[in-house]
Amino acid sequence: MLIGEVARRSGVSTRMLRHYDSLGLVRPTGRTVGGYREYSAEDIRRIFHVESLRSLGLSLRQIGRALEDPAFTPSGLVGDLIRRTEDRLRWEQELLERLRTVDASAPSGWQGVLRIVELLHGLNSPGAARRQQTVLAPAEDVPVPTELLAGAVLAESDPNVAGALRWALARAGGDGVASVASGMRSENVDVRRRAVLAIAELPGDEATAVLADALGDSDVTVRRHAALASGRRGATAAVPTLVGMVVEGTNDVEAAEVLGALSVDPGCVDRIMSALVDELAAHTADSAVRIRLTQALVEMPGTVAQGVLRQLAHDDDRAVALIASALVGMLDERSHD
């Protein structure tokens, strides 16, 4: 079969067939009287072998080795091809995300595109100081897409850079909550923790709803962050977690302050007081827990807390009794001012 017919049937161009011939990869078995290449059935099978291996990403040199070396094994080469393909896919995915970010910014000109690319490079810098500087730098009239900031917030491990990113996200407006809320569904607990901290600084009912859902998260740190933020927004569902924080001594002063703010609601104060008193009764042998609970009582409305504190002033635990007595005196002074 002549080269033109082979090209037509195989889909391999005559130029590529000549290239294979020059490399010794597929040499036609014969020549016609006129000197034209003539391919046998075996030659054509070899062409299809070459094309099949090319489709896997092998170079022509690698294909030559595979076809000629009986000791050549495919396992190592295929593994290398897998790794290279995975690297290429990651690079292409990163490129796609960069292009989407540029498109989301709706740049009016190339200056805007260059600004977004500059931001991307800065936020992907290995240096935390460079990333923070990028966040805090003036935007030069080019709005930073909330999707870009949200993605950076969810990925950032440095606390200072993360704080700057949360600040920038809160200032950016737009659909910041929706962009960050996806992180709350992540299997990675670190991503969920970053997401809840960012959402806590965003205003609006949508953020409040996401925080309410986070109160049921499987991770205690996520629940605590959600409780502090939800409680500041008046969500009474945060009360059990906040009381638990006082008991456990995790941000207990902050939790007590939020409980105090919630206790302004007449419908909530009895619930909070009951929870604190129940915990005092449940931890009779743990002085440190009882001290924290006693101190938390001072955040409650004076008239409500005074009765419990007066009882604690005669507590068997001397440390608790002394603190409760001092707090009663402080509340009495307040009431006379």
Side-chain angles (χ1 to χ4, degrees), residues 149-187:
L149 291 171
V153 163
L154 297 178
E156 184 56 62
S157 58
D158 184 277
N160 294 322
V161 182
L165 283 165
R166 292 195 297 270
W167 171 81
L169 185 63
R171 291 180 69 242
D175 200 12
V177 176
S179 299
V180 182
S182 61
M184 294 304 305
R185 298 186 291 274
S186 173
E187 294 182 1

mmCIF file of all heavy atoms in Angstrom, residues 149-187:
data_model
loop_
_atom_site.group_PDB
_atom_site.id
_atom_site.type_symbol
_atom_site.label_atom_id
_atom_site.label_comp_id
_atom_site.label_asym_id
_atom_site.label_seq_id
_atom_site.Cartn_x
_atom_site.Cartn_y
_atom_site.Cartn_z
ATOM 1 N N LEU A 149 -10.762 36.908 47.143
ATOM 2 C CA LEU A 149 -10.500 37.068 48.572
ATOM 3 C C LEU A 149 -10.990 35.865 49.366
ATOM 4 O O LEU A 149 -10.313 35.411 50.299
ATOM 5 C CB LEU A 149 -11.179 38.337 49.078
ATOM 6 C CG LEU A 149 -10.599 39.661 48.576
ATOM 7 C CD1 LEU A 149 -11.496 40.824 48.984
ATOM 8 C CD2 LEU A 149 -9.185 39.873 49.099
ATOM 9 N N ALA A 150 -12.156 35.352 48.999
ATOM 10 C CA ALA A 150 -12.705 34.204 49.719
ATOM 11 C C ALA A 150 -11.799 32.988 49.574
ATOM 12 O O ALA A 150 -11.518 32.280 50.555
ATOM 13 C CB ALA A 150 -14.107 33.879 49.209
ATOM 14 N N GLY A 151 -11.337 32.733 48.360
ATOM 15 C CA GLY A 151 -10.442 31.604 48.148
ATOM 16 C C GLY A 151 -9.157 31.745 48.940
ATOM 17 O O GLY A 151 -8.651 30.779 49.520
ATOM 18 N N ALA A 152 -8.636 32.982 49.003
ATOM 19 C CA ALA A 152 -7.408 33.228 49.764
ATOM 20 C C ALA A 152 -7.653 33.058 51.261
ATOM 21 O O ALA A 152 -6.807 32.506 51.980
ATOM 22 C CB ALA A 152 -6.885 34.630 49.464
ATOM 23 N N VAL A 153 -8.799 33.517 51.758
ATOM 24 C CA VAL A 153 -9.140 33.369 53.178
ATOM 25 C C VAL A 153 -9.181 31.895 53.570
ATOM 26 O O VAL A 153 -8.648 31.487 54.611
ATOM 27 C CB VAL A 153 -10.502 34.031 53.488
ATOM 28 C CG1 VAL A 153 -11.055 33.531 54.811
ATOM 29 C CG2 VAL A 153 -10.363 35.537 53.544
ATOM 30 N N LEU A 154 -9.810 31.083 52.741
ATOM 31 C CA LEU A 154 -9.972 29.665 53.070
ATOM 32 C C LEU A 154 -8.660 28.899 53.016
ATOM 33 O O LEU A 154 -8.537 27.836 53.643
ATOM 34 C CB LEU A 154 -10.990 29.024 52.116
ATOM 35 C CG LEU A 154 -12.413 29.565 52.193
ATOM 36 C CD1 LEU A 154 -13.306 28.891 51.172
ATOM 37 C CD2 LEU A 154 -12.992 29.397 53.589
ATOM 38 N N ALA A 155 -7.677 29.439 52.282
ATOM 39 C CA ALA A 155 -6.399 28.736 52.128
ATOM 40 C C ALA A 155 -5.308 29.264 53.046
ATOM 41 O O ALA A 155 -4.278 28.606 53.213
ATOM 42 C CB ALA A 155 -5.932 28.837 50.671
ATOM 43 N N GLU A 156 -5.515 30.432 53.645
ATOM 44 C CA GLU A 156 -4.440 31.115 54.377
ATOM 45 C C GLU A 156 -4.245 30.548 55.789
ATOM 46 O O GLU A 156 -5.168 30.516 56.585
ATOM 47 C CB GLU A 156 -4.735 32.619 54.470
ATOM 48 C CG GLU A 156 -3.633 33.425 55.120
ATOM 49 C CD GLU A 156 -2.297 33.256 54.438
ATOM 50 O OE1 GLU A 156 -2.188 33.615 53.244
ATOM 51 O OE2 GLU A 156 -1.369 32.760 55.108
ATOM 52 N N SER A 157 -3.013 30.137 56.100
ATOM 53 C CA SER A 157 -2.705 29.581 57.415
ATOM 54 C C SER A 157 -2.049 30.601 58.347
ATOM 55 O O SER A 157 -2.094 30.430 59.567
ATOM 56 C CB SER A 157 -1.788 28.360 57.275
ATOM 57 O OG SER A 157 -0.582 28.707 56.608
ATOM 58 N N ASP A 158 -1.440 31.646 57.790
ATOM 59 C CA ASP A 158 -0.797 32.642 58.643
ATOM 60 C C ASP A 158 -1.865 33.529 59.284
ATOM 61 O O ASP A 158 -2.692 34.124 58.585
ATOM 62 C CB ASP A 158 0.157 33.503 57.811
ATOM 63 C CG ASP A 158 0.930 34.492 58.667
ATOM 64 O OD1 ASP A 158 0.371 35.570 58.972
ATOM 65 O OD2 ASP A 158 2.069 34.192 59.035
ATOM 66 N N PRO A 159 -1.889 33.648 60.624
ATOM 67 C CA PRO A 159 -2.967 34.396 61.288
ATOM 68 C C PRO A 159 -2.996 35.877 60.931
ATOM 69 O O PRO A 159 -4.083 36.468 60.832
ATOM 70 C CB PRO A 159 -2.685 34.191 62.783
ATOM 71 C CG PRO A 159 -1.246 33.786 62.862
ATOM 72 C CD PRO A 159 -0.956 33.047 61.603
ATOM 73 N N ASN A 160 -1.842 36.496 60.724
ATOM 74 C CA ASN A 160 -1.817 37.921 60.393
ATOM 75 C C ASN A 160 -2.359 38.169 58.989
ATOM 76 O O ASN A 160 -3.139 39.102 58.763
ATOM 77 C CB ASN A 160 -0.390 38.463 60.509
ATOM 78 C CG ASN A 160 0.122 38.442 61.930
ATOM 79 O OD1 ASN A 160 -0.620 38.713 62.869
ATOM 80 N ND2 ASN A 160 1.389 38.099 62.111
ATOM 81 N N VAL A 161 -1.947 37.339 58.042
ATOM 82 C CA VAL A 161 -2.446 37.479 56.670
ATOM 83 C C VAL A 161 -3.938 37.166 56.636
ATOM 84 O O VAL A 161 -4.715 37.843 55.966
ATOM 85 C CB VAL A 161 -1.677 36.550 55.706
ATOM 86 C CG1 VAL A 161 -2.184 36.737 54.280
ATOM 87 C CG2 VAL A 161 -0.178 36.818 55.772
ATOM 88 N N ALA A 162 -4.349 36.137 57.387
ATOM 89 C CA ALA A 162 -5.769 35.767 57.417
ATOM 90 C C ALA A 162 -6.613 36.919 57.952
ATOM 91 O O ALA A 162 -7.703 37.198 57.435
ATOM 92 C CB ALA A 162 -5.962 34.520 58.278
ATOM 93 N N GLY A 163 -6.109 37.606 58.986
ATOM 94 C CA GLY A 163 -6.835 38.749 59.521
ATOM 95 C C GLY A 163 -6.979 39.860 58.506
ATOM 96 O O GLY A 163 -8.047 40.480 58.381
ATOM 97 N N ALA A 164 -5.908 40.120 57.756
ATOM 98 C CA ALA A 164 -5.962 41.146 56.712
ATOM 99 C C ALA A 164 -6.943 40.758 55.613
ATOM 100 O O ALA A 164 -7.691 41.601 55.101
ATOM 101 C CB ALA A 164 -4.570 41.367 56.132
ATOM 102 N N LEU A 165 -6.973 39.497 55.267
ATOM 103 C CA LEU A 165 -7.894 39.022 54.234
ATOM 104 C C LEU A 165 -9.348 39.143 54.698
ATOM 105 O O LEU A 165 -10.225 39.540 53.917
ATOM 106 C CB LEU A 165 -7.571 37.572 53.869
ATOM 107 C CG LEU A 165 -6.350 37.354 52.968
ATOM 108 C CD1 LEU A 165 -5.924 35.891 52.980
ATOM 109 C CD2 LEU A 165 -6.647 37.801 51.535
ATOM 110 N N ARG A 166 -9.617 38.802 55.947
ATOM 111 C CA ARG A 166 -10.990 38.936 56.467
ATOM 112 C C ARG A 166 -11.418 40.396 56.471
ATOM 113 O O ARG A 166 -12.570 40.720 56.139
ATOM 114 C CB ARG A 166 -11.082 38.341 57.879
ATOM 115 C CG ARG A 166 -10.911 36.835 57.927
ATOM 116 C CD ARG A 166 -11.375 36.267 59.262
ATOM 117 N NE ARG A 166 -10.586 36.754 60.381
ATOM 118 C CZ ARG A 166 -9.506 36.171 60.843
ATOM 119 N NH1 ARG A 166 -9.044 35.070 60.266
ATOM 120 N NH2 ARG A 166 -8.859 36.659 61.890
ATOM 121 N N TRP A 167 -10.491 41.276 56.820
ATOM 122 C CA TRP A 167 -10.780 42.718 56.794
ATOM 123 C C TRP A 167 -11.106 43.170 55.377
ATOM 124 O O TRP A 167 -12.075 43.903 55.147
ATOM 125 C CB TRP A 167 -9.567 43.475 57.341
ATOM 126 C CG TRP A 167 -9.632 44.956 57.175
ATOM 127 C CD1 TRP A 167 -10.303 45.857 57.942
ATOM 128 C CD2 TRP A 167 -8.992 45.729 56.137
ATOM 129 N NE1 TRP A 167 -10.122 47.136 57.465
ATOM 130 C CE2 TRP A 167 -9.324 47.085 56.359
ATOM 131 C CE3 TRP A 167 -8.175 45.399 55.059
ATOM 132 C CZ2 TRP A 167 -8.870 48.105 55.530
ATOM 133 C CZ3 TRP A 167 -7.715 46.406 54.229
ATOM 134 C CH2 TRP A 167 -8.065 47.753 54.478
ATOM 135 N N ALA A 168 -10.301 42.732 54.421
ATOM 136 C CA ALA A 168 -10.523 43.124 53.018
ATOM 137 C C ALA A 168 -11.834 42.554 52.493
ATOM 138 O O ALA A 168 -12.564 43.220 51.752
ATOM 139 C CB ALA A 168 -9.355 42.653 52.162
ATOM 140 N N LEU A 169 -12.147 41.330 52.885
ATOM 141 C CA LEU A 169 -13.392 40.700 52.429
ATOM 142 C C LEU A 169 -14.597 41.440 52.982
ATOM 143 O O LEU A 169 -15.589 41.653 52.278
ATOM 144 C CB LEU A 169 -13.415 39.235 52.859
ATOM 145 C CG LEU A 169 -14.588 38.390 52.363
ATOM 146 C CD1 LEU A 169 -14.578 38.282 50.841
ATOM 147 C CD2 LEU A 169 -14.533 36.995 52.972
ATOM 148 N N ALA A 170 -14.529 41.847 54.245
ATOM 149 C CA ALA A 170 -15.649 42.586 54.848
ATOM 150 C C ALA A 170 -15.848 43.928 54.161
ATOM 151 O O ALA A 170 -16.983 44.405 54.036
ATOM 152 C CB ALA A 170 -15.396 42.773 56.342
ATOM 153 N N ARG A 171 -14.750 44.553 53.715
ATOM 154 C CA ARG A 171 -14.839 45.850 53.036
ATOM 155 C C ARG A 171 -15.289 45.715 51.585
ATOM 156 O O ARG A 171 -15.827 46.652 51.003
ATOM 157 C CB ARG A 171 -13.480 46.559 53.059
ATOM 158 C CG ARG A 171 -13.050 47.031 54.432
ATOM 159 C CD ARG A 171 -11.698 47.708 54.366
ATOM 160 N NE ARG A 171 -11.743 48.987 53.654
ATOM 161 C CZ ARG A 171 -11.077 49.260 52.544
ATOM 162 N NH1 ARG A 171 -10.325 48.344 51.977
ATOM 163 N NH2 ARG A 171 -11.166 50.456 51.992
ATOM 164 N N ALA A 172 -15.050 44.551 51.003
ATOM 165 C CA ALA A 172 -15.314 44.385 49.571
ATOM 166 C C ALA A 172 -16.795 44.373 49.247
ATOM 167 O O ALA A 172 -17.200 44.718 48.135
ATOM 168 C CB ALA A 172 -14.663 43.095 49.074
ATOM 169 N N GLY A 173 -17.622 43.966 50.213
ATOM 170 C CA GLY A 173 -19.050 43.890 49.945
ATOM 171 C C GLY A 173 -19.342 42.765 48.967
ATOM 172 O O GLY A 173 -18.620 41.767 48.908
ATOM 173 N N GLY A 174 -20.364 42.927 48.162
ATOM 174 C CA GLY A 174 -20.696 41.903 47.190
ATOM 175 C C GLY A 174 -21.194 40.641 47.860
ATOM 176 O O GLY A 174 -21.715 40.651 48.975
ATOM 177 N N ASP A 175 -20.992 39.525 47.173
ATOM 178 C CA ASP A 175 -21.522 38.253 47.646
ATOM 179 C C ASP A 175 -20.463 37.498 48.436
ATOM 180 O O ASP A 175 -20.170 36.339 48.163
ATOM 181 C CB ASP A 175 -21.988 37.428 46.442
ATOM 182 C CG ASP A 175 -22.970 36.345 46.851
ATOM 183 O OD1 ASP A 175 -23.451 36.385 47.996
ATOM 184 O OD2 ASP A 175 -23.239 35.449 46.031
ATOM 185 N N GLY A 176 -19.884 38.161 49.441
ATOM 186 C CA GLY A 176 -18.814 37.550 50.208
ATOM 187 C C GLY A 176 -19.251 36.335 50.989
ATOM 188 O O GLY A 176 -18.513 35.351 51.089
ATOM 189 N N VAL A 177 -20.454 36.360 51.569
ATOM 190 C CA VAL A 177 -20.923 35.243 52.384
ATOM 191 C C VAL A 177 -21.018 33.977 51.547
ATOM 192 O O VAL A 177 -20.524 32.916 51.938
ATOM 193 C CB VAL A 177 -22.286 35.559 53.025
ATOM 194 C CG1 VAL A 177 -22.805 34.345 53.795
ATOM 195 C CG2 VAL A 177 -22.167 36.761 53.946
ATOM 196 N N ALA A 178 -21.643 34.081 50.377
ATOM 197 C CA ALA A 178 -21.793 32.900 49.526
ATOM 198 C C ALA A 178 -20.443 32.353 49.091
ATOM 199 O O ALA A 178 -20.253 31.137 48.980
ATOM 200 C CB ALA A 178 -22.632 33.247 48.299
ATOM 201 N N SER A 179 -19.483 33.255 48.866
ATOM 202 C CA SER A 179 -18.168 32.822 48.410
ATOM 203 C C SER A 179 -17.421 32.066 49.498
ATOM 204 O O SER A 179 -16.686 31.127 49.209
ATOM 205 C CB SER A 179 -17.340 34.035 47.966
ATOM 206 O OG SER A 179 -17.961 34.706 46.890
ATOM 207 N N VAL A 180 -17.610 32.471 50.756
ATOM 208 C CA VAL A 180 -16.894 31.825 51.863
ATOM 209 C C VAL A 180 -17.673 30.635 52.409
ATOM 210 O O VAL A 180 -17.080 29.680 52.924
ATOM 211 C CB VAL A 180 -16.617 32.835 52.992
ATOM 212 C CG1 VAL A 180 -15.840 32.186 54.125
ATOM 213 C CG2 VAL A 180 -15.828 34.013 52.466
ATOM 214 N N ALA A 181 -18.989 30.681 52.312
ATOM 215 C CA ALA A 181 -19.824 29.645 52.928
ATOM 216 C C ALA A 181 -19.517 28.259 52.386
ATOM 217 O O ALA A 181 -19.720 27.259 53.086
ATOM 218 C CB ALA A 181 -21.296 29.962 52.723
ATOM 219 N N SER A 182 -19.007 28.175 51.160
ATOM 220 C CA SER A 182 -18.647 26.865 50.614
ATOM 221 C C SER A 182 -17.609 26.181 51.490
ATOM 222 O O SER A 182 -17.562 24.949 51.575
ATOM 223 C CB SER A 182 -18.109 27.014 49.186
ATOM 224 O OG SER A 182 -16.937 27.816 49.178
ATOM 225 N N GLY A 183 -16.765 26.989 52.155
ATOM 226 C CA GLY A 183 -15.761 26.414 53.037
ATOM 227 C C GLY A 183 -16.357 25.698 54.230
ATOM 228 O O GLY A 183 -15.717 24.813 54.811
ATOM 229 N N MET A 184 -17.582 26.057 54.621
ATOM 230 C CA MET A 184 -18.226 25.396 55.754
ATOM 231 C C MET A 184 -18.622 23.960 55.419
ATOM 232 O O MET A 184 -18.918 23.173 56.329
ATOM 233 C CB MET A 184 -19.471 26.174 56.188
ATOM 234 C CG MET A 184 -19.181 27.556 56.764
ATOM 235 S SD MET A 184 -18.038 27.525 58.153
ATOM 236 C CE MET A 184 -18.839 26.386 59.259
ATOM 237 N N ARG A 185 -18.625 23.623 54.131
ATOM 238 C CA ARG A 185 -18.965 22.249 53.732
ATOM 239 C C ARG A 185 -17.724 21.402 53.481
ATOM 240 O O ARG A 185 -17.832 20.242 53.084
ATOM 241 C CB ARG A 185 -19.837 22.292 52.471
ATOM 242 C CG ARG A 185 -21.164 23.016 52.672
ATOM 243 C CD ARG A 185 -22.060 22.903 51.452
ATOM 244 N NE ARG A 185 -21.542 23.646 50.320
ATOM 245 C CZ ARG A 185 -21.753 24.933 50.095
ATOM 246 N NH1 ARG A 185 -22.476 25.638 50.964
ATOM 247 N NH2 ARG A 185 -21.258 25.537 49.032
ATOM 248 N N SER A 186 -16.561 21.974 53.709
ATOM 249 C CA SER A 186 -15.316 21.257 53.449
ATOM 250 C C SER A 186 -15.108 20.136 54.470
ATOM 251 O O SER A 186 -15.467 20.265 55.640
ATOM 252 C CB SER A 186 -14.131 22.226 53.504
ATOM 253 O OG SER A 186 -12.897 21.527 53.404
ATOM 254 N N GLU A 187 -14.494 19.043 54.027
ATOM 255 C CA GLU A 187 -14.129 17.973 54.938
ATOM 256 C C GLU A 187 -12.898 18.362 55.753
ATOM 257 O O GLU A 187 -12.616 17.748 56.788
ATOM 258 C CB GLU A 187 -13.865 16.681 54.164
ATOM 259 C CG GLU A 187 -15.107 16.109 53.484
ATOM 260 C CD GLU A 187 -14.827 14.801 52.775
ATOM 261 O OE1 GLU A 187 -13.663 14.337 52.832
ATOM 262 O OE2 GLU A 187 -15.748 14.245 52.166
#
